Amino acid sequence: MSAELYSKEETLDLRKRLVGPSCKLFFPEDPVKIVRAEGQYIYDEKGRRYLDCINNVSHVGHCHPVVVKAAHEQNKVLNTNTRYLHDNLVEYATRLSKTLPEKLCIFYFVNSGSEANDLALRLARQYTKHQDVIVLDHAYHGHLTSLIDISPYKFRKLEGQKEWVHVVPLPDSYRGPYRENHEDPGAAYANEVKKCIDEAHRKNHKIAAFFIESLPSVAGHIIPPAGYFQKVAEYVRGAGGVFVADEIQVGFGRVGKHFWAFQLQGEDFAPDIVTMGKPMGNGHPIACAITTKEIADAFTGTGVEYFNTFGGNPVSCAIGLAVLDVIEKENLMHRATEVGNYMMELLNKQKSKHGMVGDVRGVGLFIGVDLVKDHEKRTPATAEAEFIIRRLKQEHIVVSTDGPHGNVIKFKPPMCFTKENAKFVVDALDKILTGIVCQLPSSANQKTVIKGILSVQ
Ligand SMILES: Cc1ncc(COP(=O)(O)O)c(C=O)c1O
């Protein structure tokens, strides 16, 4: 079907009529209709090119020819479920295992990050025979019922917290209770987990798992302080639970120095379960939960088969293998470090220039710019962030915001992002911060003012 079957207005109208309104669009007041993409660029129906700064799914670049070819070639030959032997599945598991700590050696292929996390929950509960879960405040782990329950980012807006879910403070050294001037924020935040476990035990609750995104992204692009994972794992395992690292957004070399973001905490650290998805198939739905032999054995011990119709099919695995090939052959991890460091350097200059840039934090091509109204108080500049991303769109740059206050501009571009791209974005941000945002009043009617400015652009 041609992408131009309908005019933009017709597409929007049909979408409004046919698609559940809770499925949101970026820039709802003027959505972008995308008809093709290549590398780090997406193109609208008029042929206008936008620089994509947020699509961490098109990891090695939109429509990468090597990935497209791998899908096509395998599609021509066979696609079926995992009840037959096939080389692609075992080859892919073998290749992935080389990136992981040795103990993480059993693979369950699924179709989405949510499925991977739901399975991680089942694995943890079966292995530990416990039920409860500890999660970070503001975390998001997926859209299934089980995962909404362990996602404060969602459940706070719904029925609330289940009695088997325990929430600990986000290890945020910029805005959280223990900040950059604390002598050991990692230990202090881990101690919050210990306190949470003690409290759960007092109520006769037993911990099955601690779930954490290796770099909390929805929660505001947080870099957990050193030593946090090791200490938390010690407390959680001491309570009979397991440590689950959600790498669904941040895995596959995005952090540059390592293939997995949990490895930023030290080569000695290994979770008990790792979940991955989004970038894994460069846009094709493939995901995975990986665990230890002991945990997998306990799961097998139920005697119940785990069957997933599409998970691990030959086409998905061919695509997964092609993604790994491209990461390696195009040296994308090295590039993530080079380009990421350069972008951080440019953004830090903006921090000295513009009072609104409160914090610039990141690693590799995972970068957040925390906007504040007041440097001292670190008051989130939420409306301003919303305004800036709309202005950036007018400069043909697509970014969005994250964090509990929606004031963190997030950069998670495809890994083929260049230094020129980074400079283009930061120059545009500089222009916007200089020319427009500084004139905004800090009054309650700011949103109206912002809307006004947007409509005259
Ligand atoms: C950290 C994290 N975990 C899990 C998920 C769920 O993945 P999916 O949407 O593929 O089900 C997401 C999706 O945004 C996510 O960001």
Side-chain angles (χ1 to χ4, degrees):
M1 185 169 112
S2 159
E4 293 167 282
L5 191 59
Y6 302 110
S7 70
K8 180 173 164 181
E9 293 67 31
E10 286 167 339
T11 309
L12 181 59
D13 184 52
L14 282 167
R15 176 162 164 141
K16 277 187 180 159
R17 276 198 277 135
L18 298 169
V19 177
S22 44
C23 304
K24 303 278 189 210
L25 285 161
F26 278 140
F27 314 111
E29 71 288 353
D30 179 27
V32 186
K33 182 174 177 182
I34 296 299
V35 297
R36 72 181 183 91
E38 193 180 342
Q40 63 276 49
Y41 302 106
I42 56 179
Y43 296 84
D44 73 8
E45 81 289 359
K46 297 226 164 74
R48 280 179 299 228
R49 190 177 87 167
Y50 292 83
L51 178 60
D52 183 354
C53 296
I54 42 172
N55 199 324
N56 58 345
V57 174
S58 297
H59 191 60
V60 299
H62 288 273
C63 307
H64 194 292
V66 171
V67 181
V68 172
K69 183 161 183 272
H72 182 59
E73 294 301 321
Q74 185 57 49
N75 255 321
K76 282 195 294 190
V77 182
L78 169 76
N79 201 15
T80 185
N81 67 51
T82 54
R83 282 194 176 125
Y84 300 96
L85 285 174
H86 197 277
D87 288 348
N88 287 5
L89 177 77
V90 290
E91 174 64 2
Y92 189 36
T94 306
R95 287 277 296 279
L96 275 178
S97 70
K98 291 188 182 139
T99 67
L100 287 157
E102 220 178 313
K103 74 171 204 176
L104 291 166
C105 58
I106 306 290
F107 295 72
Y108 297 89
F109 289 100
V110 297
N111 312 297
S112 69
S114 296
E115 279 192 10
N117 277 339
D118 182 72
L119 180 58
L121 186 58
R122 287 181 66 195
L123 289 165
R125 284 180 164 163
Q126 188 58 38
Y127 174 69
T128 63
K129 305 275 189 280
H130 297 171
Q131 285 300 307
D132 288 27
V133 173
I134 303 176
V135 285
L136 296 187
D137 207 356
H138 309 294
Y140 175 65
H141 292 293
H143 60 79
L144 303 188
T145 307
S146 59
L147 305 171
I148 297 296
D149 284 347
I150 64 164
S151 299
Y153 168 73
K154 293 282 181 192
F155 73 59
R156 291 211 192 288
K157 296 177 199 150
L158 295 163
E159 290 130 48
Q161 193 171 336
K162 298 273 164 36
E163 79 291 346
W164 54 270
V165 178
H166 310 275
V167 180
V168 291
L170 193 61
D172 175 358
S173 321
Y174 180 66
R175 198 173 264 111
Y178 312 110
R179 299 190 172 180
E180 65 281 359
N181 52 2
H182 190 282
E183 57 181 18
D184 190 352
Y189 281 112
N191 199 42
E192 294 291 329
V193 179
K194 185 172 183 310
K195 284 198 284 189
C196 170
I197 294 171
D198 292 344
E199 183 57 24
H201 285 175
R202 263 194 292 282
K203 294 180 189 154
N204 274 333
H205 282 250
K206 294 201 172 121
I207 307 302
F210 172 78
F211 270 71
I212 183 170
E213 216 191 328
S214 300
L215 295 171
S217 51
V218 171
H221 272 227
I222 306 299
I223 315 289
Y228 179 67
F229 282 27
Q230 284 88 341
K231 278 243 161 291
V232 169
E234 184 189 320
Y235 299 142
V236 170
R237 288 173 187 149
V242 300
F243 191 109
V244 182
D246 177 336
E247 292 271 341
I248 289 160
Q249 288 219 30
V250 295
F252 287 86
R254 173 158 300 280
V255 300
K257 282 181 243 172
H258 303 280
F259 202 81
W260 302 108
F262 69 77
Q263 291 166 329
L264 288 167
Q265 291 270 322
E267 296 287 348
D268 61 320
F269 178 74
D272 303 299
I273 302 174
V274 174
T275 56
M276 54 194 69
K278 293 185 191 273
M280 198 171 178
N282 212 51
H284 178 87
I286 176 169
C288 195
I290 303 172
T291 191
T292 64
K293 189 165 178 326
E294 294 71 31
I295 295 176
D297 284 348
F299 193 57
T300 312
T302 59
V304 176
E305 178 191 10
Y306 181 76
F307 177 64
N308 189 313
T309 302
F310 301 117
N313 68 68
V315 172
S316 295
C317 291
I319 290 171
L321 282 162
V323 170
L324 294 182
D325 284 344
V326 177
I327 295 173
E328 240 170 77
K329 290 204 179 105
E330 297 185 6
N331 220 354
L332 292 181
M333 288 170 64
H334 176 71
R335 188 185 191 128
T337 300
E338 291 263 294
V339 178
N341 285 349
Y342 177 68
M343 188 158 183
M344 289 279 290
E345 200 183 300
L346 297 179
L347 287 167
N348 274 313
K349 285 188 190 146
Q350 296 299 304
K351 188 175 156 185
S352 2
K353 189 169 170 191
H354 300 287
M356 196 176 280
V357 180
D359 191 30
V360 174
R361 48 182 180 256
V363 53
L365 284 172
F366 175 87
I367 298 174
V369 181
D370 195 315
L371 298 177
V372 294
K373 289 188 199 184
D374 179 310
H375 247 266
E376 283 293 296
K377 295 192 192 129
R378 303 185 177 182
T379 321
T382 305
E384 290 84 347
E386 215 173 285
F387 168 73
I388 290 167
I389 62 161
R390 278 162 175 78
R391 275 290 290 109
L392 283 168
K393 180 187 160 226
Q394 291 167 347
E395 305 290 329
H396 297 115
I397 295 166
V398 186
V399 284
S400 66
T401 54
D402 251 339
H405 311 284
N407 67 313
V408 180
I409 301 186
K410 61 173 172 184
F411 295 99
K412 282 181 276 200
M415 300 267 283
C416 49
F417 207 70
T418 63
K419 284 189 176 176
E420 291 71 35
N421 293 149
K423 178 140 177 29
F424 178 67
V425 173
V426 181
D427 284 350
L429 187 63
D430 186 16
K431 184 172 95 178
I432 295 164
L433 286 167
T434 307
I436 302 166
V437 177
C438 62
Q439 293 163 19
L440 288 175
S442 55
S443 62
N445 69 348
Q446 208 170 60
K447 274 202 167 153
T448 325
V449 175
I450 287 169
K451 269 190 195 149
I453 291 174
L454 275 169
S455 63
V456 296
Q457 293 293 314

